């Protein structure tokens, strides 16, 4: 049941949430706002949507962001822009063919090629717009996501689009069953935004373990994935839309990228983030990775490194998730360090000294197995067999012998490695203009969703590097235009 605002009581009860009184007229943050478009989320999709709504004639555009920092995951990104998406404007058929070829792996019922082409066909305009702001984009934004989002924040400010940082949307409000705005919390107080159109751009759900388990947790390995996305990616927009009847995509998944050491090891040079393994200098690929049965599961030198970020389907992280037997350990001995690069042994020692279980050390493989809680006989067999390949070829996974280095010099170390993700695929069902559908397949008037909050249609079971910024910037631009002035 949709509960209504009851401002006369000074307390608002909405879906079980209590809101204290709104800021009063004259208070620094009051009164509540009435706008044409409220954009929820300051990532790439939300920023582009806000700017394009303004460009299309929307008078008052308000962008709210729950974090204290503008830019979301987009700000953390490397700034890669998928070339095929950008080229789709001039060469749609070729781009579509590329996309189809890349998307062959999997049988998920996605992508929606028509929607992809509709959005990607306008990506050239989005890139031209970004370039007109002074950004240099040649397959990647010069300066990465930080430069991209800094420029967009500056442009938004210059366009007199109001931005409220630290303002968290809690619910989509309805008047007589029609979307009428957002109920938010701002500076610990309730805050109502009345809007003709609501634009959800809240990112994905990869930082919400419960939602990952619920929507994407079909494989036990997934519970082991560490998301590198911004902490704002908690699925808020998806949940809010769901509560007013929006349909959700099936077969959601997280966007697996490379490997990650624990954040608890971040202060140690060899384990600083992002993990050196992704991509790794070749010598690091001489290590082996074992699962909780002490068994190898891959050629650890895939693409010359663990977890080659450009081949999401064959990378180490993806294989680990399919294997689904965490924890995973990378084994080192006293002689593992790549000559001249760093003192790896010092890092291993520093990690072991933390005593938090992320780096284990033992004088024998047997004792290491006990510390790892894996079968000692299997670990010994795995290492012995691997060492035997040093004189021939990897008879199990085909690892090139130049990457095989015996593990034989005590002490031995085992370092926990985690697959990481760059976000999620799924969200609320939308059309190519970002309009949200309900479960009966009807458009929910005045409600839009763009970016990772609604991205399932663009992918099958894997991800293509650089697709997000290219597609979500375009989707934001399209949807902002659709709301503009209406
Ligand atoms: C390390 C890393 C590197 C990456 N590199 C690339 C790359 O090179 N190229 C590429 O294409 N993609 C890359 N990606 C993926 C890409 O950055 C994201 O998919 C993309 O930024 C998502 O954009 P978005 O606008 O949908 O969401 P976001 O950028 O995550 O923005 C969503 C915003 O909404 C806010 N929000 C959430 N809930 C609320 C709420 N209730 N109220 C108010 N605000 C809310 C969040 O705090 C956040 O700021 C990378 C991802 C990571 C993690």
């Amino acid at each position: 049941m949709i509960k209504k605002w009851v401002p006369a009581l000074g307390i608002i009860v909405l879906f079980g949430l209590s809101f204290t009184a709104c800021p009063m007229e004259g208070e620094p943050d009051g009164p509540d706002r009435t706008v044409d478009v409220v954009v929820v989320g300051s990532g790439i999709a939300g920023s582009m949507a806000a700017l394009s709504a303004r460009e299309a004639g929307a008078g008052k555009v308000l962008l709210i962001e729950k974090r204290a920092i503008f830019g979301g995951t987009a700000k953390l990104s490397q700034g890669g822009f998928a070339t095929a998406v950008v080229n789709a404007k001039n060469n749609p058929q070729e781009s579509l063919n590329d996309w189809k070829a890349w998307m062959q792996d999997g049988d998920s019922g996605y992508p929606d090629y028509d929607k992809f082409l509709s959005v990607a066909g306008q990506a050239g305009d989005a890139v031209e717009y970004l370039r007109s702001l002074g950004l240099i984009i040649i397959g990647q934004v010069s300066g990465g996501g930080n430069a991209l989002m800094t420029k967009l924040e500056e442009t938004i400010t210059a366009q007199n689009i109001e931005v409220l940082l630290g303002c968290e949307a809690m619910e989509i409000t309805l008047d007589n069953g029609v979307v009428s705005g957002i109920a938010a919390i701002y500076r610990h107080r309730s805050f109502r935004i009345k809007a003709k159109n609501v634009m959800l751009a809240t990112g994905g759900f990869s930082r919400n373990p419960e939602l990952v388990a619920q929507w994407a947790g079909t494989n036990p390995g997934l519970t082991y994935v560490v998301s590198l996305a911004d902490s704002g990616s908690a699925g808020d927009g998806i949940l809010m839309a769901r509560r007013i009847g929006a349909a959700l995509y099936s077969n959601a998944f997280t966007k697996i990228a490379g490997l990650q050491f624990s954040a608890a090891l971040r202060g140690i040079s060899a384990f600083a983030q992002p993990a050196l393994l992704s991509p790794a200098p070749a010598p690091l690929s001489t290590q082996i990775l074992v699962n909780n049965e002490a068994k190898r599961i891959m050629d650890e030198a895939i693409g010359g490194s663990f977890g080659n970020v450009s081949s999401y389907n064959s990378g180490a992280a993806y294989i680990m998730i399919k294997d689904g037997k965490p924890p995973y350990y990378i084994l080192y001995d006293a002689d593992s360090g790549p000559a001249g690069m760093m003192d790896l042994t010092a890092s291993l020692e520093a990690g072991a000294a933390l005593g938090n279980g992320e780096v284990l050390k033992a004088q024998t493989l047997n004792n290491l197995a006990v510390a790892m809680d894996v079968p000692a006989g299997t670990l010994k067999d795995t290492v012995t067999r691997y060492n035997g390949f040093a004189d021939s070829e990897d008879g199990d996974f085909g690892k090139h012998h130049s990457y095989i280095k015996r593990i034989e010099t005590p002490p031995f170390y085992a370092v926990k490695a985690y697959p990481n993700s760059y976000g999620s695929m799924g969200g609320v069902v939308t059309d190519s203009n970002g309009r949200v559908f309900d479960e009966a397949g009807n458009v929910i008037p005045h409600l839009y969703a763009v970016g990772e909050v609604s991205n399932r249609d663009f992918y099958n079971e894997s991800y293509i590097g650089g697709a997000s910024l290219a597609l979500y910037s375009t989707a934001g631009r399209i949807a902002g235009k659709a709301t503009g002035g209406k």
Side-chain angles (χ1 to χ4, degrees):
M1 186 182 75
I2 309 299
K3 307 233 177 66
K4 299 252 173 61
W5 290 94
V6 194
L9 296 177
I11 296 175
I12 291 148
V13 181
L14 201 66
F15 302 99
L17 293 169
S18 292
F19 291 73
T20 53
C22 299
M24 302 298 290
E25 187 95 43
E27 288 188 18
D29 306 314
D32 301 339
R33 305 289 196 276
T34 298
V35 298
D36 292 299
V37 183
V38 58
V39 177
V40 186
S42 69
I44 182 69
S47 300
M48 291 293 272
L51 285 163
S52 114
R54 166 54 55 83
E55 198 180 303
K60 282 192 180 168
V61 180
L62 171 65
L63 191 156
I64 64 170
E65 165 56 55
K66 74 175 173 182
R67 303 256 289 126
I69 304 164
F70 186 98
T73 300
K75 196 175 180 78
L76 307 176
S77 76
Q78 284 106 347
F81 257 72
T83 313
V85 175
V86 174
N87 288 345
K89 182 185 180 191
N90 301 323
N91 206 343
Q93 203 49 49
E94 192 174 298
S95 299
L96 185 61
N97 288 340
D98 279 352
W99 207 252
K100 280 185 169 162
W102 284 330
M103 289 290 124
Q104 271 167 359
D105 276 340
D107 190 20
S108 64
Y110 299 93
D112 176 336
Y113 292 107
D114 291 337
K115 183 168 170 184
F116 162 74
L117 200 54
S118 170
V119 174
Q122 299 175 63
D125 294 324
V127 171
E128 275 163 29
Y129 173 77
L130 290 168
R131 285 178 177 151
S132 78
L133 304 180
L135 290 161
I136 299 167
I137 304 175
I138 308 169
Q140 181 150 22
V141 184
S142 175
N146 189 32
L148 172 68
M149 296 316 297
T150 301
K151 177 60 76 180
L152 285 173
E153 185 178 8
E154 283 168 14
T155 309
I156 282 171
T157 306
Q159 295 283 326
N160 290 322
I161 294 171
E162 188 181 14
V163 176
L164 292 178
L165 298 179
C167 183
E168 180 172 2
M170 305 301 287
E171 299 293 351
I172 298 160
T173 54
L174 304 176
D175 274 354
N176 297 321
V178 178
V179 169
S180 62
I182 285 289
I185 297 283
Y186 184 48
R187 301 194 173 164
H188 310 294
R189 306 179 77 167
S190 67
F191 186 70
R192 182 170 183 185
I193 301 153
K194 201 165 164 20
K196 285 185 197 157
N197 289 298
V198 171
M199 177 78 57
L200 298 174
T202 46
F205 60 88
S206 68
R207 287 293 296 267
N208 185 330
E210 281 172 21
L211 295 185
V212 170
Q214 191 180 326
W215 291 334
T218 49
N219 187 298
L222 274 173
T223 58
Y224 202 57
V225 173
V226 174
S227 172
L228 298 184
D230 183 82
S231 63
S233 300
D236 295 3
I238 306 172
L239 293 172
M240 281 188 276
R242 179 85 191 119
R243 286 194 287 269
I244 64 155
L248 301 192
Y249 289 114
S250 59
N251 291 339
F253 68 100
T254 51
K255 192 193 322 177
I256 302 308
L259 294 199
Q260 182 83 13
F261 296 112
S262 165
L265 301 180
R266 205 163 279 176
I268 299 172
S269 60
F271 307 118
Q273 312 292 352
L276 273 171
L277 304 173
S278 173
L284 283 178
S285 303
T286 57
Q287 266 75 61
I288 63 170
L289 179 136
V290 297
N291 64 15
N292 64 16
E293 294 174 346
K295 290 180 180 161
R296 288 178 69 210
I297 58 168
M298 69 177 84
D299 166 4
E300 297 88 352
I302 301 167
S305 69
F306 280 119
N308 179 350
V309 288
S310 65
S311 59
Y312 291 81
N313 254 1
S314 56
Y318 193 77
I319 295 171
M320 287 158 77
I321 286 161
K322 290 272 182 205
D323 181 63
K325 290 174 186 155
Y328 291 90
Y329 291 95
I330 299 171
L331 298 192
Y332 299 84
D333 69 3
D335 192 25
S336 294
M341 281 193 59
M342 70 178 78
D343 187 352
L344 182 60
T345 305
S347 289
L348 288 164
E349 285 292 322
L354 291 175
N356 58 11
E358 296 297 327
V359 180
L360 304 169
K361 175 188 174 187
Q363 291 301 323
T364 64
L365 281 176
N366 198 55
N367 287 348
L368 190 67
V370 172
M372 292 163 68
D373 194 22
V374 299
T378 312
L379 185 69
K380 192 167 172 233
D381 289 350
T382 297
V383 171
T384 305
R385 187 168 168 80
Y386 181 72
N387 289 347
F389 295 149
D391 299 322
S392 54
E393 291 294 330
D394 176 357
D396 294 334
F397 298 100
K399 188 172 180 176
H400 192 272
H401 68 84
S402 63
Y403 291 120
I404 300 176
K405 188 165 180 297
R406 287 190 182 82
I407 300 165
E408 57 189 2
T409 312
F412 301 99
Y413 303 89
V415 183
K416 273 190 190 153
Y418 305 81
N420 63 31
S421 96
Y422 276 24
S424 58
M425 307 307 185
V428 295
V429 178
T430 54
D431 67 9
S432 49
N433 284 317
R435 296 183 307 169
V436 176
F437 290 109
D438 66 16
E439 285 199 317
N442 302 312
V443 164
I444 300 178
H446 309 293
L447 183 62
Y448 294 78
V450 283
E452 223 173 286
V453 70
S454 172
N455 60 353
R456 186 66 184 92
D457 278 334
F458 299 124
Y459 309 95
N460 190 341
E461 286 182 0
S462 65
Y463 175 67
I464 290 170
S468 304
L469 294 181
L471 287 169
Y472 311 160
S473 59
T474 311
R477 197 161 159 79
I478 294 169
K481 194 172 172 187
T483 65
K486 288 181 200 157

